[in-house]
Amino acid sequence: MTTDTRTASSRAGTGTIGRWLRFTVLVLITAVVLVPIGAIILLALRPRAATGASGMTLDTLSWVLTETEVMTWLGNSLTAALLSTTIAVAVAAPAGYVLSRGRSKAVSGYSLLLFVIQSFPVVVFVIPLFILFADLGLADSIAGLTIVYVAATMSVSCWMMAAYMDSIPLSLEEAAWIDGCSLVGGFVRIVLRNSLPGILSTAIFSFLLSWNDYLVALVFLRSSDRYTLPIGLQTFFQQNSVDWGPVMALAVIMMLPPVLVFAALNRYFSVGGIGGSLAGQ
């Protein structure tokens, strides 16, 4: 066997070991992530303490859905999350376009302002906003909660849209302008149509922030029929004991919408759509 052959064999063996090592590490990380989810599902299948039964059953999940206000809380959470996501994306898309294409001092100042606002935690604004919203009649309402969610996600959403639009060549818009498109037409037909992955990323970020929020909802909501799921979850905790079956059943319900959103939108996360647009350059 020649020296070159031995070297190639050694490299192949090293590459195989490296691939197996990476595979093992990924399996371990996946297991660590999935073990808590599996524990939640198993606990959700436990019967309620009041029944005195044992084994696994779906009765707890059925009881949570039919005998509690979970469906009302689910509707409130979906309403707040979907409204805030829609508004955030609708505003962040043109704002991100301005940040991406604008080069004036006003745009630079706006970008700096977004960065400064983004650096403040939401808890700083919660109490002043609650006092203001109480005067406006927006406290203890899903509408007021949605406004806070939109404000909380806006700065990051604008940055995310601007970062993705930076990857879309300006020459594509220039070609559209030459063909007769206006500035708005080029934005809608060229930039937006090629920004689907960025729009979806922004939408998912906004949805998850609104869906998982606890602090803002805890401050703003007082009536049980206006609770969101994270606030409703705390009502299952008793002072001296916790019936983990209903708690974990509600946790499973809370996990389902984000999982379904990711499963439905996963195929649209592709960044290769504009690759052939500049083939002639």
Side-chain angles (χ1 to χ4, degrees):
M1 182 180 294
T2 63
T3 303
D4 292 341
T5 304
R6 287 195 298 269
T7 302
S9 300
S10 176
R11 290 177 178 175
T14 303
T16 302
I17 294 173
R19 285 194 294 271
W20 277 107
L21 181 61
R22 289 193 294 270
F23 175 76
T24 303
V25 171
L26 289 175
V27 169
L28 291 175
I29 294 174
T30 303
V32 170
V33 172
L34 292 180
V35 163
I37 298 177
I40 291 173
I41 295 174
L42 289 176
L43 289 172
L45 296 176
R46 290 176 55 182
R48 291 182 294 125
T51 63
S54 60
M56 293 187 179
T57 177
L58 294 176
D59 290 343
T60 302
L61 184 61
S62 175
W63 178 83
V64 166
L65 291 174
T66 58
E67 301 298 329
T68 68
E69 294 183 280
V70 165
M71 294 305 296
T72 301
W73 302 337
L74 176 62
N76 293 338
S77 290
L78 285 175
T79 300
L82 292 177
L83 281 176
S84 61
T85 299
T86 302
I87 296 173
V89 172
V91 176
Y97 179 74
V98 173
L99 289 177
S100 175
R101 297 295 192 255
R103 294 294 182 267
S104 65
K105 292 183 178 180
V107 172
S108 299
Y110 175 64
S111 177
L112 178 61
L113 179 63
L114 284 180
F115 179 80
V116 172
I117 293 175
Q118 178 183 327
S119 65
F120 288 105
V122 178
V123 66
V124 175
F125 305 102
V126 169
I127 302 303
L129 283 175
F130 176 78
I131 296 173
L132 175 62
F133 280 26
D135 294 336
L136 297 175
L138 291 173
D140 195 24
S141 69
I142 300 301
L145 192 65
T146 301
I147 294 173
V148 178
Y149 288 158
V150 171
T153 60
M154 190 54 60
S155 58
V156 179
S157 298
C158 291
W159 276 103
M160 292 176 68
M161 290 302 305
Y164 190 86
M165 289 177 180
D166 284 340
S167 66
I168 300 176
L170 181 60
S171 55
L172 290 179
E173 290 180 79
E174 293 174 344
W177 297 338
I178 292 174
D179 289 338
C181 268
S182 63
L183 181 64
V184 175
F187 167 68
V188 173
R189 298 183 182 182
I190 303 299
V191 179
L192 273 187
R193 291 185 63 179
N194 289 290
S195 297
L196 181 59
I199 292 173
L200 293 180
S201 299
T202 304
I204 288 176
F205 165 79
S206 301
F207 180 84
L208 291 180
L209 188 145
S210 304
W211 182 262
N212 295 323
D213 172 71
Y214 175 80
L215 175 63
V216 177
L218 179 65
V219 173
F220 275 76
L221 301 179
R222 290 291 179 266
S223 303
S224 62
D225 61 339
R226 293 185 176 90
Y227 283 174
T228 56
L229 284 176
I231 304 303
L233 181 62
Q234 74 173 357
T235 63
F236 284 83
F237 289 88
Q238 302 174 7
Q239 184 174 0
N240 298 318
S241 64
V242 178
D243 190 354
W244 289 108
V247 170
M248 293 306 170
L250 181 53
V252 170
I253 295 172
M254 290 181 62
M255 289 192 301
L256 284 178
V259 170
L260 294 177
V261 168
F262 275 102
L265 301 181
N266 181 59
R267 66 176 126 176
Y268 298 107
F269 283 93
S270 172
V271 295
I274 62 175
S277 301
L278 302 176
Q281 295 187 5

